Every structure is written in C-alpha cells, then in structure tokens.
Amino acid sequence: QVHLVESGGGSVQAGGSLRLSCTASGVTYRHYCMAWFRQVPGKEREGVASIDIDGNTNYADSVKGRFTVSQVNAENTIYLEMNSLKPEDTAEYYCAIDPNTYPLCVSWTPPPPNYWGRGTQVTVSS
C-alpha cells in the first residue's frame, strides 16, 4: 500500500519562498506520476504541478514561472520550490501519486483516495 507524507509547509509573507517535499513509500510500479494539488475551504482541489518518472513536468498557469517541481527517483521523493509567493497561494497542499501517468500528469485527474498524502498548510500573508 502506498503511503505519502508531505512536509515543508508554513507561514511566509508575500514575496517569500517555501519548499515542500513529499516522499512515497510502498511504491511497486516502475512508472508513475507524482503531483501537487492545493485546496482552500469551499473550493475544489486544483492541480499545481506534476512530474513523471522521466522528469516531464506540467504546471498550472497560476504558478508558472514561480513554482518548480523536481524529484529524486531513487527516493520516490518530489519537491515543490515555491517562490514569489502570493496571498492567493494560501492553501492546504497535497501530494498525489498515480501509476496511470497521463490522467494525473497531463489532465490533472485526481487519483483514488488512497493515493494521497494528508497535506501540509501554506499560508502567505500580505
């Protein structure tokens, strides 16, 4: 069973930076996509950034040029470097994994519930 743990959230002022990490354990498939989503109360979870095992990345328009997703394949770990943070980036950030690469990495299709971490809060003050 896959288990994902996020870390690195916190509170920063606008313009600041944070780095999130997510480590997946129990991964048995050779190919997969890992992604970051975020959610604020009352709104749907939205895709932020994704990366597949080959290093192909995808970003939401709202974060392009400010966020960078990277990975360490041998550790099943991905990172989200967030720069020039804005108050509207405030959200709970979740990590997800899916062996079906295209739905998650390209279409932002959320995987089943057991493929998610528990989230880490990011708060950006103005």
Side-chain angles (χ1 to χ4, degrees):
Q1 182 175 352
V2 175
H3 183 60
L4 294 95
V5 178
E6 304 99 333
S7 63
S11 298
V12 294
Q13 290 190 328
S17 300
L18 281 174
R19 188 191 195 210
L20 306 183
S21 65
C22 171
T23 298
S25 58
V27 177
T28 59
Y29 19 88
R30 294 182 61 188
H31 298 279
Y32 55 82
C33 171
M34 292 183 73
W36 290 97
F37 283 67
R38 64 187 181 187
Q39 188 172 25
V40 297
K43 293 189 176 182
E44 291 189 1
R45 195 170 293 188
E46 63 170 350
V48 175
S50 67
I51 187 167
D52 67 18
I53 197 74
D54 296 320
N56 299 304
T57 58
N58 189 23
Y59 295 93
D61 289 342
S62 59
V63 305
K64 284 181 180 177
R66 300 188 298 122
F67 290 12
T68 302
V69 62
S70 60
Q71 66 183 353
V72 178
N73 288 341
E75 299 175 356
N76 293 327
T77 297
I78 63 169
Y79 301 95
L80 186 67
E81 188 75 36
M82 305 185 293
N83 298 313
S84 302
L85 282 162
K86 304 175 181 180
E88 50 263 45
D89 294 317
T90 295
E92 188 82 10
Y93 282 71
Y94 297 89
C95 177
I97 190 169
D98 197 336
N100 300 304
T101 301
Y102 185 89
L104 180 58
C105 266
V106 179
S107 302
W108 301 115
T109 302
N114 54 319
Y115 289 87
W116 292 86
R118 301 186 70 173
T120 184
Q121 177 67 35
V122 172
T123 303
V124 185
S125 58
S126 58

